[in-house]
Structures are given as structure tokens and as C-alpha cells.
Amino acid sequence: DLVRSRGLGDVYKRQMQILGVTSLFLCVVTMFLIYVGLVRTSAWVFGAALLLLIASLGVSIREIQISVRALDIHLRDMER
């Protein structure tokens, strides 16, 4: 019984989605904290949200690089 690997690209996509959704969630928490008057705390939470968004974008760039490399390999195989 062979188990197929989903591939490294799928792992990156899942990480990108988790980081992006967590970032969005923290932005919502930030709005709530501002609403209840915890401005200083909201600034820290928003900073964490920005860092997660930057990480999500970095993972996205890496996934794009993997996809482009795989497409190049596939096109080279088609030319043969």
C-alpha cells in the first residue's frame, strides 16, 4: 500500500493559508481591542498580525518558485 506524497507545494500552500487567516484574525482582535479602549495592546497585536502577513507572503513567494520550477521541468519533458 503506497501512500502518495502531497508534495512540498501543498505544504507551503497550507502554511500560507494558516498564516494569512491567523493574521486576519489578529486584525479583527485588534479592532476589538481598540473598541474596548486597549490601544497599547492593540498595537502589539496588530504588529504580530503584520509579521504573520509578511511570513505568509514569504511562504507564497517560495511556493511560486517551486511551482515555476516544476512547470519548467514539465515543459522540458514535453519538448523531448
Side-chain angles (χ1 to χ4, degrees), residues 5-17 59-60 62-67 70:
S5 172
R6 294 189 61 169
L8 192 56
D10 288 338
V11 172
Y12 282 124
K13 287 176 192 171
R14 190 170 33 257
Q15 288 177 348
M16 179 185 62
Q17 290 171 344
V59 171
S60 175
R62 182 67 183 129
E63 195 277 327
I64 289 170
Q65 291 172 336
I66 290 171
S67 296

Side-chain angles (χ1 to χ4, degrees), residues 30-78:
T30 297
M31 288 185 274
F32 176 75
L33 290 171
I34 291 171
Y35 177 75
V36 297
L38 297 173
V39 177
R40 183 175 293 256
T41 304
S42 70
W44 284 100
V45 173
F46 186 68
L50 288 177
L51 291 175
L52 288 173
L53 183 59
I54 290 168
S56 176
L57 293 172
V59 171
S60 175
I61 290 169
R62 182 67 183 129
E63 195 277 327
I64 289 170
Q65 291 172 336
I66 290 171
S67 296
V68 168
R69 190 174 307 129
L71 184 58
D72 285 342
I73 292 170
H74 183 66
L75 290 174
R76 263 189 259 125
D77 287 345
M78 288 178 60

